[in-house]
Amino acid sequence: MTMKPRVIVTRRWPAAVEQVLAERFDTTFNKGDAPLGLTELKAAFLNFDAILPTVSDKLPAAVFPDAEIRTQILANFGVGFSHIDIAAAKARGIAVTNTPGVLTDCTADIGMSLLLSVARRAGEGERQLRAGQWAGWCPTHMIGTKVTGKTIGIIGMGRIGKAMARRAHFGFDMDVVFYNRSKVDDAETRAMGARQLSSIEEVLAAADFVSLHCPGGAENRHLIDADRLGAMKRGAFLINTARGDVVDQKALVAALREGQIAGAGLDVYDGEPDVPSALIEMQNVVLLPHLGSATEETRVAMGMKAVDNLTAFFEGRALPDKVV
Ligand code: DGY
């Protein structure tokens, strides 16, 4: 009988997915769900054929041992892979896969929730009510900003950017402008009447809501910095469901404090799970704990995608979602 590949799962995964993993592989689960440290991750490379990390694990070059590596594949649970040093994996001949597609709708749903919540002061209103401080309806109580008919600016018109644009346009009658490095010209984008502008600055100048949908990592670090926050319309809102490092958080705090922008809706942070106390203290900021893909349907689908990648790898088939 051939031995099953040894795989390690760094965090708890949905039960239905863990069951499949247990059937197909010689799987080590993380029953306590505590994040693995650098030493444990390093050891995993020596002892397992596959590591199944996720977006909250940190896999910099220092975690990849130089010799005696047993690991052949990192089947990541998550579409983003900026937490993995891809060059280090490549240099050691380790395959990397991710889970695109299945979290598009749910991430865009959270983006829209943030946009609506921050514009209509939903978080602030709920806090007031729960604190027993609501004094009743009156014409001037907690006045927000109208969403319907405004302009949304999408930075990064990939799958999730398009899904956000679709919701904004068809659900809320919004005009869509966007920035994308490569030309986007497809039937769906044309049907929305979405206009591709040639610079991020042009999008910032036009949009009432700016929504970020580009990858994180070195290439986009602080893409939205003090200058770009300054280029946004006064009274505009920033929505980030992409990665925390895309925004210079210090500059964002300053822009919010100075009233340069009206508010922000954030699902991701630089250095998660730390969130700057300056943001927590602000009423015009809606803060979610990285919930973009957090639905039963999507998390199971993400896990099953990782299983499919792993299965294909050990059966010698082409990887469905190959990063490296
Ligand atoms: C991802 O997949 O990259 C999200 O951030 C978590 O679902």
Side-chain angles (χ1 to χ4, degrees):
M1 199 181 82
T2 51
M3 302 274 279
K4 288 179 176 176
R6 285 200 77 202
V7 318
I8 182 166
V9 192
T10 64
R11 301 296 299 267
R12 290 315 301 253
W13 285 19
V17 187
E18 287 197 348
Q19 197 181 326
V20 180
L21 283 169
E23 285 159 13
R24 290 198 196 166
F25 306 102
D26 173 4
T27 309
T28 297
F29 294 104
N30 179 352
K31 293 212 168 65
D33 204 21
L36 303 186
L38 198 76
T39 315
E40 289 161 299
L41 281 169
K42 228 174 170 164
F45 279 93
L46 307 179
N47 297 317
F48 293 90
D49 300 303
I51 302 176
L52 277 55
T54 189
V55 298
S56 50
D57 292 314
K58 290 180 184 49
L59 295 158
V63 95
F64 291 77
D66 287 323
E68 294 173 41
I69 295 185
R70 176 168 173 172
T71 298
Q72 301 164 58
I73 176 167
L74 302 175
N76 185 55
F77 185 108
V79 67
F81 49 83
S82 57
H83 56 291
I84 301 173
D85 190 317
I86 296 297
K90 205 171 178 177
R92 289 159 182 80
I94 300 173
V96 180
T97 60
N98 68 343
T99 61
V102 291
L103 44 76
T104 304
D105 285 328
C106 286
T107 306
D109 290 349
I110 278 287
M112 215 55 220
S113 310
L114 285 169
L115 188 156
L116 291 166
S117 300
V118 71
R120 299 304 308 276
R121 303 173 68 175
E124 197 182 342
E126 217 219 5
R127 282 191 293 279
Q128 185 187 65
L129 183 148
R130 283 179 188 272
Q133 288 166 357
W134 182 35
W137 192 92
C138 73
T140 56
H141 178 233
M142 217 168 259
I143 303 304
T145 299
K146 184 173 176 180
V147 171
T148 298
K150 295 282 173 65
T151 297
I152 188 166
I154 304 278
I155 309 290
M157 196 70 156
R159 285 189 194 86
I160 302 175
K162 281 182 194 163
M164 181 78 178
R166 219 166 35 233
R167 281 155 177 73
H169 180 71
F170 294 111
F172 296 88
D173 226 359
M174 296 173 88
D175 282 334
V176 180
V177 292
F178 68 93
Y179 173 79
N180 196 71
R181 273 189 307 195
S182 54
K183 177 101 184 118
V184 178
D185 185 17
D186 53 51
E188 187 190 12
T189 308
R190 281 195 296 274
M192 290 186 251
R195 285 180 298 128
Q196 180 160 12
L197 303 181
S198 52
S199 69
I200 293 179
E201 281 69 19
E202 283 174 72
V203 172
L204 300 179
D208 302 300
F209 296 88
V210 174
S211 192
L212 306 178
H213 300 284
C214 50
E219 59 179 332
N220 287 334
R221 184 166 174 77
H222 293 185
L223 186 81
I224 303 299
D225 58 9
D227 287 345
R228 287 197 164 134
L229 288 161
M232 285 173 67
K233 279 188 185 176
R234 241 184 146 76
F237 296 84
L238 180 72
I239 311 299
N240 189 6
T241 54
R243 279 293 180 268
D245 57 3
V246 176
V247 177
D248 178 343
Q249 284 184 170
K250 280 205 179 97
L252 175 62
V253 168
L256 287 162
R257 273 201 184 125
E258 289 156 17
Q260 174 61 51
I261 64 170
L266 309 174
D267 189 40
V268 288
Y269 309 89
D270 201 4
E272 290 176 20
D274 294 336
V275 179
S277 54
L279 287 176
I280 291 174
E281 284 155 19
M282 288 177 185
Q283 288 291 358
N284 56 337
V285 177
V286 178
L287 303 169
L288 293 180
H290 204 149
L291 293 181
S293 63
T295 63
E296 177 68 19
E297 296 89 335
T298 290
R299 289 286 164 87
V300 170
M302 290 166 77
M304 290 306 185
K305 258 197 166 262
V307 171
D308 288 348
N309 280 301
L310 209 56
T311 307
F313 182 85
F314 287 113
E315 288 179 355
R317 290 185 282 113
L319 298 174
D321 307 296
K322 186 176 160 70
V323 173
V324 185

